[in-house]
Each structure stands twice: as structure tokens, then as C-alpha cells.
């Protein structure tokens, strides 16, 4: 069946709330933000990669055969934030004005925290979470020779500011 013949979801079905990424026929669409006011927006997200003590010690000491894991993860996270609009369907490409990736190594893993800012018509929550995800995946890639059983998780939004909904902080 050609792609054009795939039916859209039934627009008559009951929906909870206002699903802004669906048009009147139920087809996916990118939300029109042209009428929104530009405001300064900031989002903070975090996540964690758990690993063996041996892997964490090697990363912390800078003794991973592939090189400086934390530097590579920081750069990967920043690059990912800038490319989020290409990776997440229906996500607007945004002019990122600032991207910071903090990586904290402890005995059992690494916690990544991304802080992303822009001045625009839509928020940077997805950019912050994408940055964290790719930073953690980069750590996995660079340290997998030491510990293939590492686990990535707890990726979440911690806070956001700006826009019509204002400030939000995770509890």
C-alpha cells in the first residue's frame, strides 16, 4: 500500500485534552508557533548511567582506552541538543543560545545534567533530554570494553522556564 493510502486516525474518536500535534483529520502535524511571543526559555534535564566500580574508576581517572570519555560525552550532548529538531519528529529546530552538560562521576556511575537555553517561541525541554541521552550513550560507547552491562536510565526533565506555562520544577 503506498504511503499516501494509509488512513489517518479517526478524527471522531474521543480525545482527552487538546492534542496540538494532530490536525482536524487526526493526521500528525508540526504545531504552528508563529503566533507565540518569543521569550527566553531554559530547560534542565538529567539522567544516569550505572556501571561497575572498575568502569567508573577508569572514567574518573581518565584511563579509558578510547580517550577522554567525559570530554567526548560533553561535546556529544551539546551536538545532540543542536540537532534535536532533526531527530525528534514534529520537534521545531531551535536556535540554541547556550548548552552546558555537567557530568558527575561517582563510584557506581555517571550522572549527566544538561542546561539548554534559547530565545524563541517554543521550549527546549526536548533539547535538554536529547543532550542527556546522547551524552550517556557516548559514555556507554567509550567504556563498553570495560563494562558491557552498563544501564542508562532516569532521564527526565528537572525544570523549565519561559513561555506561556512559565516555570515548572520536578518534585
Amino acid at each position: 500500500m503506498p504511503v499516501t493510502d494509509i488512513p489517518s486516525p479517526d478524527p471522531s474518536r474521543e480525545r482527552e485534552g487538546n492534542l496540538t500535534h494532530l490536525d482536524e483529520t487526526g493526521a500528525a502535524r508540526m504545531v504552528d508557533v508563529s503566533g507565540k511571543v518569543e521569550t527566553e526559555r531554559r530547560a534542565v534535564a538529567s539522567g544516569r548511567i550505572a556501571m561497575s566500580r572498575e568502569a567508573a574508576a577508569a572514567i574518573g581517572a581518565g584511563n579509558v582506552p578510547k580517550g577522554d570519555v567525559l570530554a567526548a560525552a560533553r561535546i556529544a550532548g551539546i551536538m545532540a541538543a543542536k540537532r534535536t529538531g532533526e531527530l525528534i519528529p514534529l520537534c521545531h529546530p531551535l536556535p540554541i543560545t547556550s548548552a552546558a552538560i555537567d557530568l558527575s562521576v561517582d563510584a557506581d556511575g555517571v550522572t549527566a545534567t544538561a542546561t539548554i537555553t534559547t530565545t524563541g517561541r517554543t521550549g527546549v525541554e526536548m533539547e535538554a533530554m536529547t543532550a542527556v541521552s546522547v551524552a550517556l550513550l557516548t559514555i556507554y560507547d567509550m567504556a563498553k570494553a570495560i563494562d558491557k552491562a552498563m544501564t542508562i536510565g532516569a532521564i527526565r526533565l528537572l525544570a523549565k522556564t519561559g513561555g506561556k506555562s512559565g516555570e515548572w520544577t520536578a518534585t
Side-chain angles (χ1 to χ4, degrees):
M1 167 187 314
V3 173
T4 56
D5 290 343
I6 296 174
S8 294
D10 180 0
S12 65
R13 75 176 196 269
E14 243 183 84
R15 294 188 185 118
E16 289 184 29
N18 182 14
L19 301 178
T20 59
H21 284 79
L22 298 178
D23 68 14
E24 61 280 348
T25 68
R29 69 178 174 108
M30 184 181 240
V31 173
D32 181 357
V33 296
S34 61
K36 288 180 150 187
V37 176
E38 285 195 354
T39 63
E40 185 163 328
R41 294 159 183 270
R42 178 177 174 269
V44 181
S46 71
R48 180 159 175 82
I49 184 166
M51 62 189 65
S52 67
R53 290 183 176 267
E54 177 189 9
I59 290 170
N63 291 331
V64 175
K66 283 190 171 184
D68 188 338
V69 173
L70 301 178
R74 190 170 291 110
I75 291 168
I78 292 167
M79 290 175 62
K82 293 171 21 176
R83 310 271 316 245
T84 301
E86 297 173 33
L87 300 170
I88 307 295
L90 310 178
C91 191
H92 291 84
L94 298 175
I96 303 298
T97 56
S98 173
I101 313 297
D102 178 57
L103 300 165
S104 175
V105 182
D106 61 39
D108 300 314
V110 180
T111 299
T113 305
T115 304
I116 311 296
T117 60
T118 190
T119 299
R121 293 183 167 109
T122 189
V124 287
E125 296 91 345
M126 294 307 300
E127 286 73 9
M129 289 189 288
T130 299
V132 165
S133 299
V134 172
L136 295 173
L137 286 167
T138 300
I139 292 169
Y140 183 94
D141 181 54
M142 293 189 72
K144 66 188 174 199
I146 301 169
D147 181 5
K148 289 180 182 38
M150 291 178 282
T151 58
I152 295 172
I155 297 169
R156 69 187 210 132
L157 184 66
L158 297 177
K160 62 82 67 192
T161 61
K164 186 170 72 172
S165 64
E167 294 190 21
W168 179 87
T169 303
T171 55

